[in-house]
Each structure stands twice: as C-alpha cells, then as structure tokens.
Amino acid sequence: MSEAPKISLCMIVKNEEECLHRCLESVKDLVDEMMIVDTGSTDKTVEICKSFGAVVHSYEWQDNFAEARNFGLEKATGDWILWMDADEEMNKEDSKKLKELLRDQEDSLFYIHLINYIGDEINEDDAFHIAHSRLFRNGIGFRFHFPIHETLNVEEALPHLTKDLHIQILPVRIYHYGYMNEFTGRKNKFERNIQLLMKELDKEDHSPWIEYHLASEFSRIQEHEKTFKFVNLSIIGFLEEHRMPPSLLYKLKYSTLISIGSAEGAWPGIEKAIEIYPDYVDLHLYKGIIQYLKKDYKRALMTFDHCLELGESNIRHLTLKGSGSFHAWYYKGLCYEGMGQVDEAVAAYQTSLAMAGNYALAKEALEKLGPMSEVSHTQNNK
C-alpha cells in the first residue's frame, strides 16, 4: 500500500479570532501543513494560527478573493489541497478517515458535504446542504477565478471531465456558520460583496454567475424585486452562452416568486425547470407550494408525496433540509386543512414534528387547530 497522501490546508483570513480556533482544531490532526494567507488582521488571528503551527503569509488585500487564495496555493507543498474558510468546521469523525479515503485515488477533485446553517442558532433542521469542491490534487493547474465568490477552474484543470456527476462526493461534512444572522450582520458582508460584484458587472465579459451572486445578496436582505431581476439576468446569461443554467438559479427564482406571493407568475414556468432538473426535490416542493397557493389541493398533495419519495439526499443540488421530509408533511397538513379534513391535517403536522421536533410552523399549526389536535394526539398514543 502506498504512503498516506500529504494534505495542505489553504485558507485566507482577516480578523477571524472569534471562530478560527474551532476551524483549525477540527483539522489539526488531518492536515500536514497549514498555509494561511492573512490579508490585514488587527486582532489575534495571526497569533491563533501560529499556535496551531500554521505558516502565515501576509498579503496586501487587492479586492480579489481568487488572487489571495491563489497566493496561498503557490506556497502549499502537499499532494492534496483542502480549502476552507475560518467560519467553517470539519466533522471530527469524518476528518479521521479522510486520508484513507484519498490513498491510491486516481481522481484529482472531490466534493465534500457542505452544511450551511442559517437563522439565529445552530439547528440541524435549519440548513442548506450541497456537495462542494473542497479537495483537489496539487500541482496540476487548479486555480481560483472571480474576485468574489471565487470558484475553481475545473473545466480548465480537468478538460476531459464532462459533467459534475463524475465528481465523487466523499463522506466528509464541513459545517459553515457564516450565513447565520450573527455573522452576516456583524461582518457587514453585504456592502462589501455588492461593491465587488457591481465592479465585476461592469466588465463586458463577466460571467453570468455575477448576476446570480448579486441576486443571492439581495435575497438575504429580502429585496425580492432586485433578486428576481438579477436571477433572471443570470439565467439569460447562461442561455446566451449555450450553457444550461445551474439548478440553484431556478431554486432562487421560484422561491423569490413564492416569497412575493406571485403563484400565478410562477406557474406554469416551474414545470419547465423541473423538466430540466427532475431529481431536484426543492423545485418539486415549490411546485407543491404554488399549487397549494392556487388552492389546487389534490394536485399539491400528490406533489408533496413525490417530494417524500425523492427524499433529500441528492446534494448535487443546493437542498433545503426538510424539502423531502418535514416541510413536505407540513404543507400536506395545510392542504388537508384547505380541504376541511382536520384529522388528516393534524396527523400530517404531527408527522412533521416527529421528524423535526422544533419546527415552529408545524407547532403553530397544531396550536391553531386547538382541541382537535389534542384529541387526535391522545388517540394516536393509545
């Protein structure tokens, strides 16, 4: 058997003292070196990095995340690069088996399971899941591009790779805390990101990903009209380049239409999106919600049943936890209520709560039904 591969952790940081220790602690026994690029910290960030044995390179910030990351890549000496952010943490048990998973691998790029927490507190049921390219072989031409929301140049480094379906997802979880309300508010990310994205938007040859990222930024502050405008421009941009718009663009488009109460505007367009991505459970959930809003309860119930059949394990799409489980059951409950079938509604809400015990919407729905839910609950426990 060959020697275990050497792994380099590559990160860029600035004033990350509050979360950095958790991040580095989670991978200290996995990686062989930590190459950290500091872009001007004024707190204890550098000190914390060095306490873990990291090599810290000072770098003058150029308003370009890709260039800063690439500066770090040039310093790494490992066989493999693991890239992370300071507001992330690798599952400790998963990290123990990662080196063995990489041993004797012929592939040069791997996805890991990224869990993006949202909301006010860490809640396993309040998160988006996606497979993300975080591990790649060093020295074969991988670089980052785009000054913001930087992305690996997979098509350039691996020109023979035709689809991301060919990229293996390793059973390794990384938890990302940066989208939680506490972090987004404190770090003033929105203003910085919008400024950098608008600068990219002015370039004639900019990628349609720029419009998508603008849409995402506006979505986080619930400016739905701007979100809808930019996500549509992104879809058009991909189509003009004769490329299939990625699935998460359609997710953002239809979730935005639902947020502004435009069921009519979302129908029947979502059917076309589902034709393109029939295995994307979130799109089916939105279809069901649209049918529910249109009071087409019977068809909506069939759609939510299909969500339950699909489940939510396909993380090649950006997937909301619960789309194929407790959210679908909650909306089944709403449909039953709309049809006047209270017992079925109560049972659906209780099933939803059994899957996600702190699901506030299902709790509120049961409380609203009052005595009927208590009677049904008593009967179910006899």
Side-chain angles (χ1 to χ4, degrees), residues 182-294:
E182 172 193 0
F183 285 89
T184 54
R186 183 173 70 230
K187 296 196 77 172
N188 239 357
K189 285 183 178 178
F190 174 78
E191 288 84 357
R192 177 202 68 191
N193 290 356
I194 288 292
Q195 182 183 357
L196 291 175
L197 287 165
M198 286 298 189
K199 192 174 172 183
E200 282 301 295
L201 192 66
D202 286 338
K203 297 178 182 176
E204 272 190 39
D205 59 344
H206 72 267
S207 164
W209 276 114
I210 300 302
E211 281 91 348
Y212 167 74
H213 291 310
L214 278 165
S216 289
E217 294 295 336
F218 285 117
S219 178
R220 285 190 198 107
I221 61 168
Q222 298 185 5
E223 287 200 22
H224 299 306
E225 286 186 13
K226 289 181 180 177
T227 302
F228 188 66
K229 169 191 167 184
F230 281 111
V231 77
N232 273 332
L233 287 172
S234 182
I235 290 170
I236 291 167
F238 277 102
L239 292 173
E240 287 178 344
E241 292 183 359
H242 305 290
R243 296 161 66 192
M244 187 65 70
S247 58
L248 75 176
L249 273 69
Y250 292 109
K251 173 185 175 69
L252 182 54
K253 175 177 179 173
Y254 289 102
S255 65
T256 302
L257 284 168
I258 290 168
S259 295
I260 60 179
S262 182
E264 296 299 329
W267 189 265
I270 194 164
E271 294 273 39
K272 294 177 183 175
I274 288 173
E275 280 180 26
I276 302 169
Y277 295 108
D279 60 345
Y280 194 178
V281 66
D282 288 46
L283 291 181
H284 289 277
L285 182 75
Y286 296 154
K287 174 184 172 179
I289 294 171
I290 292 162
Q291 289 169 322
Y292 162 73
L293 292 172
K294 288 164 64 66

Side-chain angles (χ1 to χ4, degrees), residues 32 37 52 152 156 158 209 234 244 248 260 278 367 380:
D32 299 278
V37 175
F52 281 89
L152 279 175
E156 293 173 24
L158 301 175
W209 276 114
S234 182
M244 187 65 70
L248 75 176
I260 60 179
E367 288 167 6
N380 288 340

Side-chain angles (χ1 to χ4, degrees), residues 12-54:
I12 57 174
V13 296
K14 182 181 179 181
N15 292 338
E16 304 284 5
E17 65 179 5
E18 291 186 32
C19 55
L20 186 57
H21 188 279
R22 174 175 61 190
C23 175
L24 299 182
E25 181 70 29
S26 74
V27 295
K28 68 175 185 181
D29 297 325
L30 164 68
V31 301
D32 299 278
E33 66 178 11
M34 297 179 178
M35 288 294 173
I36 298 184
V37 175
D38 181 75
T39 62
S41 294
T42 54
D43 62 2
K44 294 181 180 177
T45 290
V46 173
E47 185 182 324
I48 294 168
C49 290
K50 289 182 176 178
S51 75
F52 281 89

